[in-house]
Amino acid sequence: MKKEQGFEKAKFEIILSGRSNVGKSSIIRELTGKKVKIGKRPGVTLKPAHSLRSDLLITDLPGFGFMSGVKDRKQDIVKDQIVRYIEDNADRIKIAVLVTDAVSFIDVVERWESRNQIPIDIEMFDLFNELGFDTIVAINKMDRIKDVEQQERLDGIVEKLGLTPPWDQWNYIIAPTSAKKGDIKTLKGLIRKRLHDIKRDDLFKYI
């Protein structure tokens, strides 16, 4: 997959990746204020969706994993396209946001582990780190987890990512979010901090 045309002036890219239907598009809408196609049916987004502001490119990558009405072979092709896009554009990708579902993440990972397979979520997290991206994990749909269970759930998720609990010692890369409730302030804060650290406060107005 060659670099997509029309984004030559993009020097700074933020990508959002995750399983189908975890809320990536909802998060982008809250981040940028731009309406993007949001589908209730998993796998609606099959090509990267872009938002270009100045030299900042925000990219919603297709969801990986289960896609309603999409054959397994097509799912594999989509996964390969995602990886190829990431590798082809690695020089301009500065921040990678892995969006996970607070409700189902642990169950999905354990299901893969029971088959002695590495979950795609973990593969992506490792890939982002290997490529040197500044990685953030947005744990979405936290509003569906009872308050008294949130600490344990977050600890369980970071442990599956290969990090040592408690989760809050990783609060510079872990962002609990509830995009449908409009609560992504932690994620916004982490992105803005990274922009500030590289002296790109001028991009704040787009986040």
Side-chain angles (χ1 to χ4, degrees):
M1 182 182 292
K2 297 180 180 179
K3 284 193 177 184
E4 296 188 37
Q5 299 299 311
F7 301 113
E8 291 80 6
K9 73 174 185 176
K11 297 178 181 177
F12 191 108
E13 185 169 4
I14 300 173
I15 59 171
L16 285 89
S17 183
R19 286 188 172 275
S20 301
N21 216 29
V22 295
K24 298 188 308 302
S25 299
S26 295
I27 285 176
I28 286 182
R29 181 182 59 194
E30 291 296 327
L31 270 179
T32 66
K34 180 180 179 181
K35 291 183 179 180
V36 291
K37 185 176 182 180
I38 298 171
K40 292 183 179 179
R41 183 166 64 85
V44 166
T45 305
L46 295 178
K47 293 182 179 179
H50 302 286
S51 175
L52 181 63
R53 310 286 182 90
S54 182
D55 64 345
L56 170 65
L57 184 66
I58 299 177
T59 300
D60 177 10
L61 293 173
F64 51 75
F66 171 76
M67 301 177 194
S68 177
V70 179
K71 294 181 179 179
D72 289 348
R73 176 61 185 148
K74 178 67 173 179
Q75 294 179 33
D76 290 340
I77 291 172
V78 171
K79 177 192 168 186
D80 291 343
Q81 288 176 336
I82 293 169
V83 173
R84 202 171 304 124
Y85 178 89
I86 291 168
E87 292 175 343
D88 287 349
N89 297 284
D91 57 336
R92 75 178 181 208
I93 296 172
K94 309 302 181 187
I95 299 174
V97 180
L98 177 66
V99 183
T100 65
D101 184 330
V103 178
S104 64
F105 179 80
I106 293 175
D107 289 341
V108 170
V109 169
E110 289 180 345
R111 192 156 61 242
W112 279 68
E113 290 174 340
S114 70
R115 300 193 296 260
N116 294 315
Q117 296 176 319
I118 300 174
I120 304 177
D121 316 68
I122 308 302
E123 281 188 299
M124 287 295 174
F125 182 68
D126 292 342
L127 176 64
F128 294 163
N129 288 312
E130 286 169 13
L131 291 173
F133 301 156
D134 204 336
T135 304
I136 300 170
V137 181
I139 302 177
N140 197 28
K141 305 185 183 181
M142 285 300 297
D143 53 297
R144 294 173 58 184
I145 306 295
K146 294 178 181 178
D147 290 350
V148 295
E149 297 175 358
Q150 290 190 1
Q151 179 76 33
E152 182 180 1
R153 182 61 57 93
L154 291 168
D155 286 349
I157 291 172
V158 300
E159 189 169 18
K160 291 298 184 185
L161 290 168
L163 307 174
T164 304
W167 78 272
D168 41 13
Q169 68 178 318
W170 303 99
N171 60 9
Y172 56 95
I173 64 170
I174 300 295
T177 64
S178 300
K180 278 202 169 181
K181 300 289 186 181
D183 182 7
I184 63 163
K185 60 181 180 296
T186 302
L187 176 59
K188 281 185 178 180
L190 292 181
I191 292 175
R192 286 185 172 189
K193 183 181 187 309
R194 284 156 171 78
L195 294 177
H196 175 73
D197 289 346
I198 60 171
K199 298 180 171 56
R200 289 305 308 267
D201 289 16
D202 60 297
L203 297 178
F204 279 15
K205 59 181 173 288
Y206 304 121
I207 300 294

